[in-house]
Amino acid sequence: ETKLDIQKIRKEFPILDQKVYNKPLVYLDNAATTQKPKLVLDALEEYYTTINSNVHRGVHILSQRATEAYEVSRKKIAAFINAKHDYEVIFTKGTTDSLNLVANCFGRKFLKPGDSVLVSAMEHHSNIVPWQITCEEHGAQLKVIPILENGELDLVKLDELLDDPTLKFLSLTYVSNTLGTVNPVKEIIEKAHVKDIPVMLDVAQAIQHMPLDVQDLDVEFVAFSGHKMYGPTGIGCLYGKEEWLNKLPPYQGGGDMIKEVTFAKTIYNDLPFKFEAGTPDISGAIVLGYAVDFLEQIGIEQIQEAEHELMTYALGQLSAIPDLKFIGEAKNRTGGISFLVGNIHPFDLGEILDKQGIAVRTGHHCCQPLMGIYHIPGTVRASFAIYNTKEEIDQLAVGIEKAAAILK
Ligand code: PMP
């Protein structure tokens, strides 16, 4: 049993203490976005009431304080993922922005007609479409690692795909937002490196649930969003190895990303500023550092352990429901559970759960190709955060049985 006091942690999240449709809110849509603790909410207010000003520009004291706080946050995030250097952490708008940055810049510099890029069948649209755009622009081809029926990657096929001499890049999710599958990324990165293939990981659904060490993984790029890790929306990060960030051309041009501009030529700024054109989401970046503080105060290992316990409990409770079928049954799973009940449409089930105060997500979860593989229109997904309780899982199970009784 976890030693964490979940009720005490819940008290840090004011939004959870409310009723919807006159029922206590049961928030199980954390893979879409997590709620924010007081630490984060207070930091946001504090920023705008005390030091709001632009960064890296002014000589005045508020600008110095904002710049200092912005850079302190970068340091916290770098330490949290064990980056070798702070300047390997670039502030972006989020996972989507980070993935687009790498797809765009890598493509412009390195992709030629006949080359190929590899993704997996369980990718979020944000790790498919940017690569399709880039491949189309440079005459390259997008290839796909298939999955097994249980929602794990087909590692035998992966070996064959890595043998392809046209392959130039591998971009893969660490954890599937739909299936909950945790991919064996360390092993995959090692294999890719044997073939000299750089790797990007989409860790949007991993960073809030388990320790992440970019040096241990030896990964070239990592993308994540603040809002899925108890931070605000509109901010996220790209981690890149120094060597690789230096090799890529800039993404956007503008203020802050330059050293010197003339009409004839521009000299780009050093890392990380080369990739941070324009006024960034200053408050978001600063407050994301507080979200990291929140995760570290509890301890990411403790979070992983408590959530594993909750996941095991949820799988037990849900599997007792007649006609409930899990979509994705990988051995190693985290974050959330996708399921269907009989031939009830996921949207109908979700709507009845909502009326009972239970927030889940229904639909394709931005993974239409994956839905195609399973021949389903979508799933119902219950996804967890550190403030979720076993009582909430019980309520979910009761809610599903009620909904099934109504809809059958
Ligand atoms: N990748 C994965 C695995 C995700 O779950 C999500 C969010 N659902 C994204 C990428 C995109 O994140 P964002 O919308 O915050 O850019």
Side-chain angles (χ1 to χ4, degrees):
E1 280 244 338
T2 177
K3 285 176 213 73
L4 294 179
D5 184 347
I6 304 296
Q7 287 305 330
K8 193 166 158 235
I9 292 172
R10 279 185 81 80
K11 292 212 174 68
E12 297 301 313
F13 292 82
I15 200 171
L16 297 175
D17 186 22
Q18 67 172 301
K19 289 189 168 171
V20 291
Y21 308 110
N22 225 10
K23 310 251 165 49
L25 171 67
V26 175
Y27 186 78
L28 295 171
D29 192 20
N30 295 286
T33 200
T34 56
Q35 300 303 345
K36 321 304 172 199
K38 274 190 235 155
L39 187 67
V40 164
L41 299 173
D42 291 349
L44 191 62
E45 187 174 340
E46 172 88 4
Y47 169 77
Y48 278 116
T49 47
T50 60
I51 61 170
N52 173 54
S53 54
N54 214 328
V55 290
H56 306 130
R57 292 164 206 259
V59 287
H60 63 82
I61 185 71
L62 289 194
S63 176
Q64 287 170 30
R65 285 179 184 156
T67 303
E68 167 74 11
Y70 184 80
E71 293 305 324
V72 163
S73 180
R74 194 193 309 276
K75 282 198 178 71
K76 283 185 199 171
I77 295 160
F80 186 60
I81 62 172
N82 195 32
K84 196 165 172 191
H85 307 289
D86 303 340
Y87 51 78
E88 292 174 319
V89 172
I90 312 291
F91 285 118
T92 66
K93 289 192 284 183
T95 310
T96 303
D97 196 27
S98 301
L99 296 170
N100 273 277
L101 188 161
V102 174
N104 178 295
C105 298
F106 183 87
R108 277 192 283 138
K109 179 81 180 257
F110 295 107
L111 288 181
K112 295 182 302 302
D115 286 344
S116 66
V117 170
L118 191 56
V119 298
S120 88
M122 65 176 84
E123 298 310 314
H124 188 276
H125 293 163
S126 62
N127 198 27
I128 300 173
V129 184
W131 290 110
Q132 283 175 329
I133 293 171
T134 261
C135 284
E136 195 177 327
E137 271 170 9
H138 303 286
Q141 206 191 335
L142 188 64
K143 297 191 175 167
V144 184
I145 311 163
I147 56 169
L148 308 171
E149 180 64 29
N150 71 357
E152 293 178 3
L153 288 177
D154 185 337
L155 296 174
V156 176
K157 282 274 160 41
L158 173 64
D159 283 341
E160 287 169 27
L161 287 159
L162 285 175
D163 247 342
D164 179 347
T166 69
L167 185 63
K168 291 288 143 65
F169 199 92
L170 169 61
S171 195
L172 178 69
T173 196
Y174 196 159
V175 173
S176 160
N177 65 316
T178 302
L179 309 170
T181 311
V182 181
N183 289 317
V185 294
K186 189 165 179 185
E187 180 190 328
I188 293 171
I189 292 165
E190 268 172 27
K191 284 182 182 178
H193 285 174
V194 171
K195 307 281 177 187
D196 271 334
I197 305 299
V199 181
M200 174 154 65
L201 290 181
D202 169 353
V203 303
Q205 300 294 350
I207 191 164
Q208 67 283 52
H209 299 303
M210 60 174 83
L212 178 75
D213 182 331
V214 292
Q215 289 190 75
D216 179 58
L217 290 174
D218 196 24
V219 63
E220 277 67 37
F221 300 101
V222 155
F224 53 94
S225 298
H227 70 96
K228 294 178 196 280
M229 54 188 290
Y230 309 101
T233 49
I235 188 78
C237 295
L238 171 69
Y239 158 83
K241 280 185 187 171
E242 176 178 13
E243 172 204 350
W244 275 94
L245 291 173
N246 280 328
K247 270 195 256 190
L248 296 188
Y251 184 39
Q252 295 181 315
D256 265 350
M257 57 76 72
I258 54 92
K259 263 191 182 147
E260 206 184 305
V261 180
T262 65
F263 282 115
K265 187 179 166 56
T266 290
I267 300 169
Y268 305 131
N269 207 339
D270 298 326
L271 297 175
F273 311 112
K274 174 178 147 188
F275 291 105
E276 293 182 358
T279 299
D281 179 357
I282 303 166
S283 65
I286 292 172
V287 171
L288 182 53
Y290 286 81
V292 168
D293 289 343
F294 170 79
L295 287 163
E296 286 192 323
Q297 281 168 14
I298 300 173
I300 194 73
E301 280 93 359
Q302 280 68 30
I303 290 173
Q304 184 177 32
E305 204 184 296
E307 289 182 348
H308 180 74
E309 196 180 307
L310 193 72
M311 174 70 111
T312 307
Y313 184 76
L315 289 173
Q317 294 302 92
L318 296 194
S319 61
I321 297 171
D323 295 334
L324 185 143
K325 184 177 182 307
F326 294 118
I327 307 297
E329 297 187 272
K331 277 181 236 66
N332 195 359
R333 272 199 269 181
T334 191
I337 301 173
S338 264
F339 58 89
L340 289 170
V341 180
N343 46 23
I344 298 171
H345 196 280
F347 182 77
D348 296 335
L349 189 58
E351 226 180 358
I352 294 183
L353 286 174
D354 174 53
K355 296 296 183 295
Q356 299 175 61
I358 303 167
V360 294
R361 173 125 185 235
T362 66
H364 54 65
H365 315 293
C366 298
C367 291
Q368 284 181 356
L370 182 64
M371 298 298 102
I373 290 167
Y374 282 101
H375 305 290
I376 51 177
T379 75
V380 181
R381 180 187 69 188
S383 56
F384 314 125
I386 190 57
Y387 42 68
N388 288 125
T389 64
K390 289 182 184 164
E391 292 70 36
E392 289 180 306
I393 301 298
D394 293 339
Q395 282 164 282
L396 171 68
V398 170
I400 296 168
E401 298 227 46
K402 266 194 202 163
I406 294 169
L407 293 165
K408 254 181 203 159

